[in-house]
Amino acid sequence: QVQLVESGGGLVQAGGSLRLSCAASGRPLNRYTMGWFRQAPGKEREFVAAISWADDTTYYADSVKGRFTISRDNAKNTVYLQMNSLKPEDTAVYYCAAKYLITTMTGLRYDYWGQGTQVTVSS
């Protein structure tokens, strides 16, 4: 079992930055692809970013490419999402998720999920 706890969300003005953290416990993350997903009110959950277990290759949704950066610190068993140039449309609950030994951007394939952290971007 892997337990994931997100933190770092909050209220920020458009153009600002936030860094989300996802701290894991239970198992080391070095064999897990880690993903960030988000869900805005009234919308379906969508993929944001992922970092591969195999070689740390990163993947991004087109809507965040160039603004968000996913990274991992295996020594701290933590994954980060640096979010810059935030826009009101980035407002959502952000979730981190873990998938064992497979690189995927499909949320349904992930094994473990955190509880989420709210990000609100004001205009």
Side-chain angles (χ1 to χ4, degrees):
Q1 291 285 339
V2 176
Q3 292 79 42
L4 303 173
V5 178
E6 302 95 335
S7 61
L11 174 64
V12 64
Q13 288 188 333
S17 298
L18 283 174
R19 188 176 82 154
L20 305 184
S21 299
C22 174
S25 60
R27 290 181 181 174
L29 290 183
N30 59 340
R31 291 189 171 224
Y32 288 84
T33 289
M34 298 302 296
W36 285 96
F37 296 80
R38 66 187 182 187
Q39 187 166 21
K43 295 188 177 181
E44 293 186 352
R45 182 180 63 198
E46 64 175 357
F47 168 77
V48 175
I51 184 165
S52 170
W53 72 275
D55 57 7
D56 285 349
T57 299
T58 56
Y59 305 85
Y60 297 96
D62 288 342
S63 59
V64 307
K65 203 170 294 184
R67 300 189 296 123
F68 290 11
T69 302
I70 187 172
S71 62
R72 68 197 305 162
D73 185 337
N74 287 336
K76 295 183 178 180
N77 231 29
T78 300
V79 176
Y80 304 97
L81 185 67
Q82 178 67 44
M83 305 187 295
N84 298 328
S85 302
L86 282 161
K87 305 175 181 179
E89 51 264 44
D90 294 319
T91 295
V93 177
Y94 283 71
Y95 300 90
C96 72
K99 177 61 185 175
Y100 186 65
L101 288 182
I102 291 177
T103 299
T104 178
M105 291 170 276
T106 303
L108 289 175
R109 299 190 70 187
Y110 278 73
D111 301 313
Y112 303 101
W113 291 83
Q115 294 299 307
T117 185
Q118 176 71 47
V119 171
T120 303
V121 184
S122 63
S123 57

